Amino acid sequence: MKCEVQRVYKNPRFRILKIDGETYTLDMGKSIWKTLFPFLTWIVPNIIYKVDGEEINSKMKHLERNKSNDKGLAILGTGVGIFLANLLRPLTEYFDIQSTMVVNGIIASLMLLIVVLLRVYLGNRYKKNFYNMITADFSFKKQIFIRPISFKHCIQILLSYCFILIFFLTTFVLFITDGNMMLIIVATFFFFTLTVLNVTTILDGQTPAKFSKNTLKIKEEA
């Protein structure tokens, strides 16, 4: 079946789904595994909650559709990271610090922790803002499989994920061994980009979808 997807203006965490005349909401930031591994969004069923379609329509001024194209988000992030690395390369010697690998490992871990805390903070703020406007029926939930809009879309996300992951791991390890602060700055940027890549897996428009066979069981348990 076809599912009409609409993004929420200034709130990348949520999607509005319209299926067979019913309106549902999808929280894309609910699963940490889907955040770290975006492809799980297409493989593992997603839980959606029913919302009032009239309420959505009456608040469209708050939920206006963002016309920007997210397909280039990951590519842009990778490009910016590479550009920064090349731009700062002549200054690498000024970023060297005299420390051991253990200290470098602690510094790197703290930087990644900051990114995680930032992502949690932003996610909670998006969630609070969304449910301040929309009332979801949490007693009525379904499981749905959502597929990529095209094979090209799937390949784009796959390549972006691989490039970002490789650059992140490379700069992260090099910082621990070499102790150059520029490397951890670039690694932190790539890590943050990696954690927001999942929002590009479900885009606006028609997308293939199928309800899970476990839907009835979920409704009975609710």
Side-chain angles (χ1 to χ4, degrees), residues 1 19 44-46 48 142-146 209-212:
M1 66 181 182
I19 308 170
V44 178
N46 301 276
I48 58 177
K142 293 185 177 183
Q143 280 187 328
I144 188 173
F145 289 97
I146 300 178
K210 180 178 69 173
F211 282 120
S212 170

Side-chain angles (χ1 to χ4, degrees), residues 164-220:
I164 294 172
L165 182 62
I166 290 173
F167 277 108
F168 161 65
L169 293 177
T170 300
T171 51
F172 184 82
V173 172
L174 285 177
F175 169 73
I176 294 178
T177 57
D178 296 345
N180 188 287
M181 288 301 297
M182 185 195 72
L183 293 171
I184 194 58
I185 293 173
V186 175
T188 302
F189 174 83
F190 278 122
F191 182 63
F192 180 82
T193 305
L194 199 67
T195 64
V196 300
L197 187 63
N198 72 310
V199 302
T200 65
T201 57
I202 302 179
L203 303 177
D204 290 342
Q206 294 282 341
T207 189
K210 180 178 69 173
F211 282 120
S212 170
K213 295 180 180 179
N214 295 327
T215 294
L216 294 177
K217 183 178 179 181
I218 291 178
K219 291 170 63 177
E220 292 174 357

Side-chain angles (χ1 to χ4, degrees), residues 23-211:
T23 305
Y24 303 89
T25 179
L26 169 63
D27 183 354
M28 299 191 64
K30 189 173 184 179
S31 171
I32 186 174
W33 297 112
K34 291 179 182 179
T35 299
L36 295 177
F37 306 101
F39 313 105
L40 292 180
T41 303
W42 299 325
I43 300 173
V44 178
N46 301 276
I47 296 178
I48 58 177
Y49 298 96
K50 189 174 182 180
V51 294
D52 187 344
E54 293 184 0
E55 182 182 16
I56 291 290
N57 292 333
S58 66
K59 296 182 178 180
M60 283 301 292
K61 62 180 180 179
H62 300 295
L63 303 177
E64 292 178 0
R65 192 168 173 179
N66 191 344
K67 300 294 184 179
S68 62
N69 192 340
D70 277 343
K71 289 183 179 180
L73 175 63
I75 299 176
L76 177 63
T78 305
V80 171
I82 297 175
F83 173 75
L84 288 176
N86 291 328
L87 182 65
L88 297 175
R89 183 177 299 174
L91 304 176
T92 51
E93 61 181 30
Y94 297 103
F95 287 86
D96 285 329
I97 58 175
Q98 301 298 324
S99 60
T100 64
M101 291 180 61
V102 174
V103 174
N104 293 342
I106 294 175
I107 295 174
S109 299
L110 289 176
M111 294 293 287
L112 297 188
L113 179 60
I114 291 175
V115 172
V116 171
L117 293 177
L118 176 62
R119 286 288 288 112
V120 171
Y121 167 76
L122 292 175
N124 289 336
R125 190 179 69 173
Y126 289 140
K127 183 177 181 180
K128 180 180 179 181
N129 291 341
F130 182 78
Y131 287 120
N132 281 340
M133 293 187 295
I134 299 300
T135 303
D137 186 358
F138 293 105
S139 64
F140 191 96
K141 56 184 177 181
K142 293 185 177 183
Q143 280 187 328
I144 188 173
F145 289 97
I146 300 178
R147 306 305 184 192
I149 58 177
S150 65
F151 179 73
K152 179 181 178 181
H153 178 210
C154 183
I155 295 300
Q156 285 177 334
I157 301 300
L158 174 63
L159 293 178
S160 298
Y161 182 84
C162 291
F163 275 119
I164 294 172
L165 182 62
I166 290 173
F167 277 108
F168 161 65
L169 293 177
T170 300
T171 51
F172 184 82
V173 172
L174 285 177
F175 169 73
I176 294 178
T177 57
D178 296 345
N180 188 287
M181 288 301 297
M182 185 195 72
L183 293 171
I184 194 58
I185 293 173
V186 175
T188 302
F189 174 83
F190 278 122
F191 182 63
F192 180 82
T193 305
L194 199 67
T195 64
V196 300
L197 187 63
N198 72 310
V199 302
T200 65
T201 57
I202 302 179
L203 303 177
D204 290 342
Q206 294 282 341
T207 189
K210 180 178 69 173
F211 282 120

